[in-house]
Amino acid sequence: MNIGFIGAGKAGFCLGQYLAEKGQALVGYASRSPGPAQEAASLTGSAYFPDPMALIKAADLIFLTVPDGLIESVWLSLADGPVAGKIFAHCSGSLSSEAFVGIESKGAQGISLHPLMAIPDKLRSHKLLAETFFAIEGPEPALSRVLGLVASLGNEVRPLDKAKKPLYHCAAAFVSNFSVALAFAGAEMLESCGLGEAQGALFRLMLSNARSIGEYGPVAALTGPVERGDAGTVAGHLAVLSGEDRELYRLLAKKLLKVAALKRPERDYASLAALLA
Ligand SMILES: NC(=O)c1ccc[n+]([C@@H]2O[C@H](COP(=O)([O-])OP(=O)(O)OC[C@H]3O[C@@H](n4cnc5c(N)ncnc54)[C@H](OP(=O)(O)O)[C@@H]3O)[C@@H](O)[C@H]2O)c1
């Protein structure tokens, strides 16, 4: 399939570089600002298209790698162009293929294809794509064609019910974005201990924990006072916290209690549960 991108931001750069490195037929880029699209085209050995309609003509699969809030309006601005027979894809984690409003009536098909990764850097993040999981959703036969393409790159790719996309994206937010909130909260506490310069040690602790979760799963990886049923230590933690940090601690510890009960079904966590209630 000839592949084109409309939107030369982080996802467009990253996916385009990955596809080009894997030997896929990348026709090129169109975008709102010419500069980034020209840069992405030259980086991937493809063409810059000042006119997105020309890119659509040249491609079989067109990624709309624009911000989530613009996917529908960008699609609608293209819908009266030469779209028949084409597959359109977007990369939103939370939106479904329904963002391509009325696409089947134009003789085209639309899918969502989400790489389960954070893309902070448009030039370097593509190196992580080889190990990235993709969730795909949309109508046949476009779904099977794009699923086959992604699988042929060596990536794990699984279909997802479109009604589940917000929940799927929530799972990603919990482990990715919220771990940033936890890192920030922990760093603030270390700062209050006069150990602000030792933040790196805290983040290495996060990394080693993430490795354990990846290796053993969250239940087996759980350690600490909740897992031990140590109500005294947990009460001590609650006593030094206030406001939203205290509430966050309480809610997260309640969630950990469920994990602990799975790991140690023989243990009695009643006093800890009462403390956290
Ligand atoms: N970044 C991530 O971590 C990540 C991860 C997974 C999935 N995604 C998904 O990838 C998609 C793109 O996100 P992103 O992070 O790549 O956003 P981004 O870095 O902000 O890039 C968006 C690109 O869209 C272009 N654009 C905006 N309006 C346009 C229009 N009307 N016509 C053509 N191009 C237009 C922008 O052009 P300008 O240069 O003129 O602004 C920019 O090049 C989203 O659906 C997002 O959910 C992102």
Side-chain angles (χ1 to χ4, degrees):
M1 274 194 285
N2 289 325
I3 303 167
F5 285 86
I6 296 177
K10 294 179 286 294
F13 262 73
C14 178
L15 274 173
Q17 286 174 90
Y18 182 59
L19 290 168
E21 278 177 12
K22 288 280 184 176
Q24 296 299 313
L26 200 64
V27 295
Y29 287 84
S31 195
R32 181 169 59 186
S33 312
Q38 285 162 342
E39 187 189 350
S42 101
L43 205 64
T44 55
S46 65
Y48 164 58
F49 289 81
D51 176 9
M53 296 299 182
L55 178 136
I56 293 172
K57 264 189 204 152
D60 308 302
L61 168 62
I62 301 109
F63 282 94
L64 298 192
T65 37
V66 298
D68 282 13
L70 295 177
I71 292 168
E72 185 176 327
S73 60
V74 170
W75 153 249
L76 289 173
S77 74
L78 304 167
D80 289 329
V83 302
K86 310 289 179 175
I87 300 174
F88 285 80
H90 70 69
C91 295
S92 168
S94 59
L95 298 179
S96 75
S97 56
E98 285 182 351
F100 296 110
V101 174
I103 191 166
E104 302 259 353
S105 71
K106 302 288 179 185
Q109 287 197 305
I111 59 152
S112 67
L113 178 70
H114 179 248
L116 188 56
M117 72 176 284
I119 309 173
D121 183 327
K122 70 178 188 179
L123 293 177
R124 290 191 306 177
S125 296
H126 68 284
K127 294 186 177 27
L128 302 173
L129 263 177
E131 292 180 356
T132 296
F133 168 93
F134 286 79
I136 187 167
E137 166 280 319
E140 291 289 2
L143 182 118
S144 290
R145 287 190 69 195
V146 179
L147 189 148
L149 169 79
V150 178
S152 76
L153 305 174
N155 291 83
E156 185 181 0
V157 50
R158 289 190 194 274
L160 175 70
D161 180 345
K162 70 177 167 208
K164 297 286 186 195
K165 283 217 70 174
L167 188 60
Y168 157 81
H169 197 234
C170 212
F174 259 76
V175 302
S176 178
N177 305 144
F178 292 170
S179 66
V180 174
L182 294 178
F184 189 79
E188 281 180 328
M189 289 171 209
L190 218 57
E191 187 89 41
S192 298
C193 298
L195 289 174
E197 283 165 8
Q199 283 177 18
L202 206 58
F203 303 147
R204 287 197 292 282
L205 177 64
M206 274 188 105
L207 278 177
S208 70
N209 200 38
R211 272 191 220 101
S212 298
I213 294 168
E215 200 168 333
Y216 308 116
V219 174
L222 179 63
T223 62
V226 173
E227 189 260 349
R228 291 192 295 274
D230 181 351
T233 299
V234 171
H237 289 171
L238 287 169
V240 294
L241 294 172
S242 61
E244 68 186 19
D245 282 345
R246 190 169 195 276
E247 195 51 14
L248 259 180
Y249 184 102
R250 198 180 66 80
L251 292 174
L252 289 169
K254 276 179 83 170
K255 190 78 180 173
L256 280 188
L257 257 187
K258 294 186 180 144
V259 185
L262 288 173
K263 184 173 180 185
R264 305 272 182 220
E266 74 286 0
R267 276 197 186 150
D268 180 5
Y269 290 105
S271 56
L272 204 45
L275 177 68
L276 294 169

